[in-house]
Amino acid sequence: YHTLRLVLGDQLNASHSWFKQHDQGVLYVIAELKQETDYVTHHVQKVCAFFAAMAQFADALEKAGHDVEYLTLDDTQAYQDLPALLYALCEHYQVDQFEYQRPDEYRLAMQLEQLRLPNEVTSQCVETEHFLLPFSQITTQFTAGKHRKMEFFYRDMRRQFDILMEGDQPEGGKWNYDQQNRNKLKKADLEAIPAPLIFANDVSDILTRIERHQVKTIGHAASALMWPVTRQQAKALLNHFCTYCLPLFGQFQDAMTGQSPHQWSLYHSRLSFALNAKLLHPMQVIQAAIDHYRQNEAINLAQIEGFVRQILGWREYVRGVYWANMPDYAQKNALGAQGTLPAFFWHGKTKMRCLSHAITQSLETAYAHHIQRLMVTGNFCLLAGVDPDEVDDWYLSIYVDAIEWVEMPNTRGMTQFADNGIVGTKPYAASGAYINRMSDYCVGCEYDVKEKVGPKACPFNALYWHFMARHRDKFARNPRTAMPYRNWDKMSETQQSQILAHADELLANLDAL
Ligand code: FAD
Ligand code: SF4
């Protein structure tokens, strides 16, 4: 072989221009690596999903006539890390050239940029051809340390890619229908929620292998993995979403329910793993959804716009924030949060029904939808002042779609305000009233969402006021958070001190909640 090409586990893009030509002098390498299973303790379904998708991809490449070397943990265990493996492979195959696609994670990008190869081997980095915003345009859209309003970025992207546009105006006359996406699920709505499309990929070999290599994992292991691991399965999931979920996607986007284990993903697409592993291209997802919208009267503009905004807007936006701000972003802790993550985040046993449900579901499925991540677990960590390093690690561990470029701006930025407002202009802090408004969690909870103090009071309430009071200097002059301070100031001093004392007690005993 004259060239060795590396395909990372989240670069399973069969449409990449690499694969358009057959060159018997090119060897593709896809490798299971201990460095990737160990940088955090991953959910077992996440490890299985990546390894299964990588093996399927290698198989498909081979069938298409390419030379591929698939290396399991058994094959790579002798090498200390990825650079050591690549050095050995370059030597073994006597290649002149090593090529890789630009990694999406800073950690891997640095590792490959600083790679030391045998003397005669040159190294070349190419684009992944996955994201819509070219890498070179990130610095024109984003500046390190500065807030970039997502809405304006999104409008630029709508114009640039001519998505849902009528000339230079947004289709329907409005850019954003977010206001219409805030419905709570009523009892009658629950029965109509479509059952999620799940797969049954046999991952028993992978489970045995990761056990043999003592890979530490969390969560529920299933030998029949429900996540899509081939392009075909990913397309089936996309089609299922467009047919059954898209008509009500936006309407119930922020809703949460603990009523039925079969309704855990509601109207969400669960496409994040397929997108992040690059089994699907974001434009393919957007176009499929728009095609359904054009053909199906049951899908209105608010639903399709809400969905397009997530992928064309948010997904591209967080990637821009990540690359414009790394590596500093990973150190940010603007609110000086130093607390420890309560142990119940790892087992779900807490009397708080909202947290118990969101965490238990995450351990069982490696999935929670956006509002569970943002307003239940994320909000709790923010109010409790948990160290953002610990919060990042938890999110990076538990979700099947968790890769640092997308996980970190959402966690450290959006939920923890640790980036001092690079992502959001206000903290997503909320009391129990928000959770009660958007879910049925509070019915049947041991705590009372209406109470602020006392043993039965919903912990979110006192913690919320404690958070607002302790960060008054930072947020009181922010017009978006001025109103809560007016409400706080209307309370009597006695009431204020009772709430703060109760919150202090809670903060000292988070594990007991
Ligand atoms: P849907 O609700 O069906 O949305 C469709 C798609 O839009 C998603 O698949 C995703 O690709 C994209 N999307 C939606 N919101 C966002 C967002 N805020 N940022 C980036 N893409 C978005 N997403 C990840 O892919 N990986 C992560 O590690 C991750 N960590 C998160 C951590 C926190 C604290 C929060 C608040 C959000 C996080 N998200 C992450 C974003 C979002 O919650 C998930 O993308 C979404 O829940 C995945 O489920 P879905 O595919 O059913 O999404
Ligand atoms: Fe969560 Fe409070 Fe509602 Fe219980 S009462 S489910 S703790 S918001």
Side-chain angles (χ1 to χ4, degrees):
Y1 296 104
H2 54 73
T3 300
L4 187 79
R5 284 179 173 168
L6 172 70
V7 179
L8 292 169
D10 65 345
Q11 298 181 335
L12 310 179
N13 171 11
S15 305
H16 194 276
S17 53
W18 266 0
F19 311 122
K20 298 229 163 24
Q21 280 167 2
H22 290 91
D23 181 342
Q24 297 316 321
V26 174
L27 177 68
Y28 291 96
V29 61
I30 301 178
E32 299 175 0
L33 293 159
K34 206 75 195 311
Q35 71 162 50
E36 295 308 295
T37 59
D38 289 3
Y39 68 88
V40 283
T41 308
H42 300 283
H43 196 296
V44 61
Q45 291 179 38
K46 179 182 176 189
V47 182
C48 288
F50 273 105
F51 283 4
M54 286 156 61
Q56 292 282 348
F57 188 75
D59 213 36
L61 276 192
E62 248 172 9
K63 287 202 177 99
H66 300 281
D67 280 15
V68 185
E69 176 136 359
Y70 187 84
L71 302 171
T72 66
L73 284 177
D74 299 330
D75 307 317
T76 62
Q77 65 181 334
Y79 304 95
Q80 195 199 339
D81 53 15
L82 178 62
L85 172 71
L86 293 172
Y87 191 98
L89 288 172
C90 286
E91 254 190 347
H92 179 76
Y93 289 106
Q94 300 277 301
V95 297
D96 317 313
Q97 171 101 343
F98 166 69
E99 295 177 2
Y100 65 99
Q101 298 179 19
R102 182 193 294 287
D104 293 326
E105 277 168 292
Y106 187 82
R107 179 178 63 85
L108 281 161
M110 287 305 109
Q111 206 178 34
L112 289 173
E113 208 178 287
Q114 291 156 10
L115 199 61
R116 205 178 63 80
L117 292 174
N119 277 343
E120 63 284 6
V121 183
T122 52
S123 170
Q124 199 199 349
C125 173
V126 303
E127 292 303 326
T128 57
E129 304 170 11
H130 173 79
F131 289 98
L132 299 167
L133 186 73
F135 193 82
S136 57
Q137 283 183 27
I138 288 179
T139 45
T140 47
Q141 286 282 356
F142 299 89
T143 308
K146 290 254 154 61
H147 172 65
R148 168 87 168 100
K149 207 167 167 30
M150 190 329 258
E151 180 63 23
F152 296 143
F153 169 77
Y154 166 57
R155 292 180 191 180
D156 278 357
M157 294 291 278
R158 291 264 298 269
R159 288 191 202 97
Q160 184 168 341
F161 293 93
D162 196 21
I163 301 292
L164 296 177
M165 297 294 292
E166 282 161 352
D168 59 357
Q169 291 303 308
E171 197 170 316
K174 262 172 67 177
W175 288 102
N176 185 315
Y177 293 83
D178 203 20
Q179 293 300 332
Q180 294 177 27
N181 293 347
R182 305 223 170 120
N183 291 19
K184 182 172 175 163
L185 285 157
K186 304 205 181 71
K187 238 199 163 95
D189 298 323
L190 292 177
E191 278 147 38
I193 298 173
L197 173 65
I198 57 174
F199 302 95
N201 291 299
D202 181 1
V203 290
S204 42
D205 283 357
I206 298 176
L207 284 171
T208 317
R209 193 152 72 243
I210 61 181
E211 205 169 299
R212 190 165 66 244
H213 287 274
Q214 293 167 356
V215 174
K216 263 180 74 191
T217 57
I218 53 162
H220 173 70
S223 54
L225 184 80
M226 67 173 156
W227 294 97
V229 297
T230 63
R231 186 132 99 146
Q232 213 179 8
Q233 289 182 346
K235 279 192 197 160
L237 187 58
L238 171 59
N239 191 47
H240 174 90
F241 167 74
C242 291
T243 310
Y244 300 106
C245 304
L246 189 53
L248 290 172
F249 172 80
Q251 192 169 332
F252 295 121
Q253 201 174 335
D254 290 0
M256 298 178 282
T257 177
Q259 292 282 27
S260 156
H262 304 299
Q263 292 154 345
W264 49 274
S265 59
L266 307 177
Y267 290 93
H268 293 273
S269 69
R270 287 189 302 113
L271 286 168
S272 47
F273 171 75
L275 274 162
N276 295 353
K278 305 189 178 58
L279 297 173
L280 294 177
H281 191 276
M283 195 50 90
Q284 178 184 9
V285 175
I286 291 171
Q287 281 305 347
I290 292 179
D291 287 350
H292 273 78
Y293 159 63
R294 303 266 181 243
Q295 287 155 20
N296 182 352
E297 279 180 9
I299 306 169
N300 67 31
L301 185 56
Q303 316 308 310
I304 186 69
E305 187 282 314
F307 184 67
V308 165
R309 188 174 350 114
Q310 306 311 313
I311 296 180
L312 185 67
W314 279 110
R315 187 167 185 271
E316 297 282 326
Y317 173 88
V318 297
R319 170 182 172 252
V321 166
Y322 179 78
W323 279 106
N325 287 286
M326 280 302 277
D328 297 356
Y329 204 80
Q331 310 301 325
K332 292 197 184 290
N333 188 357
L335 300 181
Q338 317 258 302
T340 306
L341 195 70
F344 60 73
F345 269 75
W346 301 103
H347 53 63
K349 292 189 191 78
T350 160
K351 297 189 285 287
M352 292 179 282
R353 190 158 176 259
C354 51
L355 277 159
S356 168
H357 183 265
I359 295 168
T360 307
Q361 178 199 305
S362 303
L363 289 165
E364 275 168 12
T365 64
Y367 178 88
H369 71 67
H370 188 66
I371 295 299
Q372 292 175 300
R373 299 186 201 196
L374 179 63
M375 300 309 294
V376 179
T377 43
N379 180 25
F380 183 84
C381 293
L382 173 74
L383 302 185
V386 179
D387 186 328
D389 287 347
E390 290 202 23
V391 189
D392 260 337
D393 272 3
W394 186 78
Y395 282 99
L396 201 53
S397 297
I398 200 159
Y399 294 118
V400 70
D401 54 35
I403 308 183
E404 194 183 80
W405 67 267
V406 52
E407 174 279 322
M408 193 180 277
N410 271 300
T411 302
R412 200 170 273 262
M414 195 185 302
T415 68
Q416 303 304 295
F417 204 82
D419 66 357
N420 208 20
I422 292 176
V423 168
T425 47
K426 72 170 180 81
Y428 278 93
S431 67
Y434 174 88
I435 295 173
N436 193 30
R437 193 158 63 243
M438 294 315 301
S439 78
D440 49 29
Y441 286 145
C442 303
V443 183
C445 179
E446 287 196 31
Y447 293 107
D448 184 344
V449 72
K450 301 245 153 47
E451 297 294 326
K452 294 188 187 66
V453 290
K456 286 283 163 205
C458 167
F460 277 88
N461 295 338
L463 290 177
Y464 170 75
W465 287 117
H466 194 277
F467 173 85
M468 295 306 284
R470 75 179 181 265
H471 295 298
R472 186 168 192 135
D473 284 353
K474 203 158 192 76
F475 299 125
R477 284 184 305 276
N478 180 339
R480 296 192 69 198
T481 40
M483 172 83 134
Y485 286 104
R486 282 200 289 277
N487 292 337
W488 175 247
D489 292 340
K490 277 187 216 148
M491 290 184 211
S492 69
E493 264 179 45
T494 321
Q495 201 179 7
Q496 287 178 348
S497 50
Q498 277 172 347
I499 292 173
L500 294 180
H502 181 56
D504 280 331
E505 240 173 77
L506 298 174
L507 287 168
N509 296 289
L510 289 178
D511 279 328
L513 292 175

